[in-house]
Every structure is written in structure tokens, then in C-alpha cells.
Amino acid sequence: MTAAERSDADLLRAHAAGDAFAFEELVRRHRDRLWAVALRTTRDRDEAADALQDALISAYKAAGSFRGDSAVTTWLHRIVVNACLDRMRRRQTRATVQLPEEGPHEPADSRDRVAERDTRMVVEEALGQLPAEQRAAIVLVDVEGWSVAETAVMLGVPEGTVKSRCARGRARLAVM
């Protein structure tokens, strides 16, 4: 059976047992969504990249302790969100200036990129004004489409806490 045919749980067990390519396949399968969560949570490409790297190193090392209480993808997302929140807490102590996401030599696109960028900037600015815990819950539930139950597992909090964080965050976003 090839790595692509194996389940996430099988790959994680194989990695823990010493398979040199199993973890690489897990990362390949989930990297895009993990990156999106990291980027939307931190709102900073460099911080997201560092947080994702920290998270994947943690997951690599902790694979043997995975109990199987949740899906592997849920476990990975939880590690990524926690790494993002940790980096954001540390970053609050030093001043930073966010650089523009796009440069002067971007490829041409027929969509209304200006309107899309304006909307994205408004949403990102509004999300940035939320407390980190509310932002993480809203990004996972409303932006990434995870269920409240899955988000609760990823954040390590009760479902009611996720619901209240989302409700409070949405209320604050509506005002903004």
C-alpha cells in the first residue's frame, strides 16, 4: 500500500514506528489548510510561517503520544492554532509594522482585485481588533468552516466556549 492510500492515522502510526516518509505525506495532505489557518490566525506571513514550522516540529516529535481521541487533521490543526496563539502572545511585547501583502510586480488578473483586496483588508483589520481567542474561534468556524465541536477540540476548550467566543467576536465585528 502506498503512502497516498493510507489513512492519516496509519501514517501517523507509521511515522511513530520509524517510517521516514509517513510524516511527509501527512504534511503534504494538510499543508494548505494548516497554512491558511496559521495565516488567518496570525495575520502575518512571517509569523504564520514560523508558527506552522513550530507546530509541525511539535507534531513530528509528539506523534507517538497521539491517542486517537480525535482525527489526525483535528490534532494537527489544534497544534497549529496553539503555536499561532503562543507566537502572538510573545509578539505582543514587541512593536511591529506589517508590510503590504502584495508588491508592484503581481500578475494580472481579470477579477476585481481592488474590491477583493479592500474587502479582505477591512475584514483582516476588523479581525485584528478582536482578542486572539475570539479571532481564533471565528477563523476556524466562520472562515475555515470547521464545526464548533472540531474547533473546541482544536482549541482545547468546551463547545460552549467556542460558541460564546464566536458570538462575542461576531457582535464586535458587526459594530466594526
Side-chain angles (χ1 to χ4, degrees):
M1 180 182 297
T2 67
E5 297 169 335
R6 295 159 74 183
S7 73
D8 289 348
D10 288 341
L11 287 170
L12 196 59
R13 280 191 293 275
H15 164 67
D19 183 331
F21 300 103
F23 194 77
E24 179 181 339
E25 175 63 19
L26 268 176
V27 171
R28 187 196 60 73
R29 285 182 188 178
H30 301 289
R31 70 178 170 233
D32 292 341
R33 289 197 74 189
L34 296 173
W35 168 249
V37 167
L39 186 58
R40 287 186 178 117
T41 301
T42 63
R43 299 181 51 229
D44 179 288
R45 287 187 179 279
D46 292 333
E47 286 292 320
D50 290 343
L52 184 57
Q53 181 176 343
D54 292 347
L56 291 176
I57 290 169
S58 294
Y60 185 91
K61 292 177 179 177
S65 65
F66 177 71
R67 295 185 311 246
D69 296 339
S70 62
V72 172
T73 186
T74 303
W75 178 72
L76 288 171
H77 276 77
R78 180 178 184 175
I79 293 171
V80 169
V81 169
N82 286 338
C84 290
L85 293 175
D86 288 345
R87 291 192 71 80
M88 289 167 58
R89 286 184 198 107
R90 286 193 302 262
R91 185 176 62 177
Q92 287 176 348
T93 61
R94 54 180 206 252
T96 60
V97 175
Q98 189 168 358
L99 297 175
E101 290 185 20
E102 297 177 0
H105 301 289
E106 295 300 315
D109 192 335
S110 62
R111 299 182 310 190
D112 186 356
R113 302 286 287 173
V114 173
E116 288 177 11
R117 185 169 184 204
D118 288 347
T119 300
R120 185 177 67 241
M121 288 172 53
V122 168
V123 170
E124 287 178 0
E125 178 65 28
L127 281 171
Q129 294 178 30
L130 295 177
E133 291 78 15
Q134 288 177 2
R135 181 171 52 246
I138 286 177
V139 165
L140 289 170
V141 173
D142 295 338
V143 178
E144 290 296 316
W146 290 96
S147 71
V148 170
E150 292 167 324
T151 300
V153 170
M154 285 182 226
L155 297 177
V157 298
E159 289 181 34
T161 302
V162 172
K163 290 177 184 178
S164 67
R165 286 178 182 173
C166 285
R168 288 187 188 119
R170 289 177 192 133
R172 291 180 74 176
L173 288 172
V175 172
M176 292 182 228

